[in-house]
Amino acid sequence: MNEALSPSRKPGIRAAMFVDFDNVFTGLQALDPLAAKRFAEDPKHWADALSAGGSGEDARRFLIRNCYLNPVVYSKYRTYWTRAGFRVIDCPSLTQRGKSSTDINLVLDAVDALSGSVGIEEFFIASADADFTSLIQRFRAADRMTTVIAAGAVAFAYREMADHVVESHDFVAILNGTAVEPVHAAAPGKQQNAATTKTKATSPAIREVLEFVRTAPGPVVGAMVAHRALTADPSLKTDWGGCGKFGTWVSQIGQGVEYSPAQGGWVWDAKRFSSEDLPAPTDRQPGIEEQVTRVTDVPALSAAQFRQMFQAMEARLREHPLNRTELSRLVRDDCVSAGQPVSRNAVSFVLQGLAYVNFQLNDEATAEGLAAAWTANVEELCRVALLEFDAAEKLAVRRWASGGLLDA
């Protein structure tokens, strides 16, 4: 009888979104200014993209949409968010250093939502700020799904605690309208697949990958496979045929092709090899470098790979100005062509590090200057992580991170 009198609850995952506007907008401006503008002025577009999904429980209902911004700096965007159905919480600066009250307001509201009677099932935190790691831990302890939307480098612990991370390039793709598939919930037991039925087995990229992997003498670095696929089918550059990431795209090929994201990503022919044939991590990053990559999340690249990356950046920046999204793709391709394959995520991480030290990416940038700025960022990451090195170890880190481009 009570059920007959009460309206039935609408289907869909009950979700809540908390947006750290200042953090996301600043991060996007460094990556892609046009995407930053769309984030700030058309929140309904990307919020609807995150809400969409399959039928029934695969879709989301954002019962809470909160946006936290500094009204002194970003008040002109407030109307766009209120019109899109967001509750905007003004978080002015409370200190002489300009630190806003976003963190405390967001955390208090999120904890209230967690303990509320509605029963929120999935929490979205739009911020790359690692200060929210403890909040994500609280969600996890309460057995709630968590998704982090990032517009910059994400700290290792923050990433590991979340069930799903919408990476910077994925979020930029959503904002620019190149992500054709919705972001699915990271439910336990379900693969976060985007468009496994969209890629046709007859595509030139798949034929190229199959031939390359089946004739390779062993597992192949994922960046090299991605380069071959993009050369065969340039249209995949937007969002990998709706899959969003190379790893998702190559994983759904089947036909004996296996993929592992370990150590930057590897692809192999399952008929001849297995995951046991992958090189051991200690074979690739021995000594002090391994400790740095494990603790700070710095990409586990060799000195030669870092050097090639900086040289490729210098060459590309001399040609013409590029936004960070386009630069990361081109530099990745150049490194692969030069025989020093790196992943796009690794390039993006380095570019974000350069932004943190305010390095200007223009036609005056040199490989040595890029190496010096990046090395300073790595040294700061080590300091924050409380890594203590002697003089010889500090020199080893400097030579490694700079790709040998800096004097001892």
Side-chain angles (χ1 to χ4, degrees):
M1 181 175 181
N2 290 337
E3 292 183 359
L5 295 174
S6 302
S8 59
R9 184 178 68 83
K10 295 180 180 179
I13 298 172
R14 297 187 298 277
M17 181 186 298
F18 301 88
V19 180
D20 181 348
F21 182 95
D22 302 26
N23 180 279
V24 177
F25 185 72
T26 302
L28 286 172
Q29 280 188 313
L31 293 169
D32 188 327
L34 180 58
K37 178 179 174 63
R38 288 172 174 165
F39 162 77
E41 297 182 356
D42 191 9
K44 184 179 186 303
H45 164 73
W46 59 265
D48 287 348
L50 294 175
S51 298
S55 60
E57 293 299 319
D58 287 334
R60 295 185 184 89
R61 296 177 58 229
F62 281 107
L63 304 183
I64 298 174
R65 294 187 182 189
N66 285 1
C67 172
Y68 304 80
L69 58 75
N70 186 335
V72 177
V73 183
Y74 300 115
S75 61
K76 65 180 181 180
Y77 297 117
R78 199 178 196 281
T79 303
Y80 295 109
W81 290 73
T82 55
R83 286 168 53 188
F86 279 79
R87 172 178 170 242
V88 177
I89 297 90
D90 290 332
C91 300
S93 173
L94 299 178
T95 68
Q96 292 182 343
R97 295 186 177 182
K99 176 68 173 176
S100 77
S101 56
T102 289
D103 291 10
I104 186 63
N105 282 308
L106 191 156
V107 169
L108 289 174
D109 288 345
V111 171
D112 284 346
L114 177 63
S115 59
S117 59
V118 174
I120 299 297
E121 298 168 292
E122 185 176 12
F123 286 83
F124 278 68
I125 304 296
S127 177
D129 191 340
D131 288 348
F132 294 122
T133 302
S134 296
L135 180 62
I136 298 295
Q137 290 175 329
R138 178 68 65 87
F139 294 150
R140 193 179 188 90
D143 193 25
R144 308 297 169 86
M145 303 304 297
T146 57
T147 296
V148 169
I149 303 174
V154 182
F156 182 77
Y158 190 33
R159 178 187 298 275
E160 288 300 300
M161 287 306 303
D163 293 295
H164 183 214
V165 176
V166 180
E167 303 285 358
S168 300
H169 55 270
D170 292 327
F171 193 41
V172 168
I174 292 173
L175 292 167
N176 289 338
T178 57
V180 298
E181 287 293 320
V183 177
H184 291 269
K190 294 183 180 180
Q191 291 184 342
Q192 296 169 18
N193 105 18
T196 56
T197 61
K198 285 185 175 288
T199 306
K200 298 179 180 179
T202 57
S203 74
I206 288 184
R207 290 199 299 269
E208 177 67 21
V209 168
L210 289 173
E211 181 179 356
F212 182 43
V213 173
R214 287 172 178 172
T215 57
V220 185
V221 175
M224 296 185 68
V225 179
H227 180 69
R228 298 289 287 263
L230 291 172
T231 301
D233 184 0
S235 69
L236 292 175
K237 292 178 180 178
T238 54
D239 66 343
W240 287 100
C243 293
K245 299 180 181 179
F246 165 73
T248 305
W249 178 83
V250 76
S251 295
Q252 53 81 51
I253 290 178
Q255 304 185 60
V257 173
E258 294 289 341
Y259 169 77
S260 170
Q263 307 172 46
W266 289 85
V267 184
W268 65 90
D269 178 7
K271 294 182 179 179
R272 297 182 296 140
F273 307 105
S274 70
S275 58
E276 296 180 357
D277 295 301
L278 299 180
T282 53
D283 291 339
R284 303 181 68 222
Q285 285 293 329
I288 199 67
E289 297 92 338
E290 181 185 5
Q291 185 179 356
V292 173
T293 59
R294 185 172 62 249
V295 176
T296 67
D297 213 22
V298 167
L301 305 179
S302 67
Q305 288 173 310
F306 277 125
R307 182 170 61 252
Q308 183 60 52
M309 187 187 300
F310 299 136
Q311 291 171 343
M313 285 182 185
E314 176 186 352
R316 287 294 180 179
L317 289 170
R318 283 185 178 179
E319 292 178 359
H320 52 80
L322 296 164
N323 63 51
R324 295 183 189 276
T325 302
E326 184 69 7
L327 182 60
S328 66
R329 180 181 64 80
L330 293 174
V331 169
R332 186 273 314 276
D333 291 348
D334 292 343
C335 289
V336 172
S337 298
Q340 295 292 345
V342 299
S343 69
R344 188 171 180 180
N345 282 342
V347 181
S348 296
F349 191 97
V350 172
L351 290 173
Q352 191 64 43
L354 293 171
Y356 286 154
V357 295
N358 297 316
F359 186 87
Q360 298 301 310
L361 294 174
N362 52 41
D363 58 2
E364 297 181 357
T366 64
E368 291 76 13
L370 290 159
W374 164 247
T375 301
N377 178 67
V378 172
E379 291 171 340
E380 176 62 13
L381 289 174
C382 292
R383 186 192 67 79
V384 172
L386 303 180
L387 290 174
E388 297 182 358
F389 301 133
D390 59 28
E393 291 172 331
K394 289 180 180 178
L395 180 59
V397 170
R398 182 176 176 83
R399 285 174 172 169
W400 163 67
S402 69
L405 291 172
L406 301 183
D407 295 332

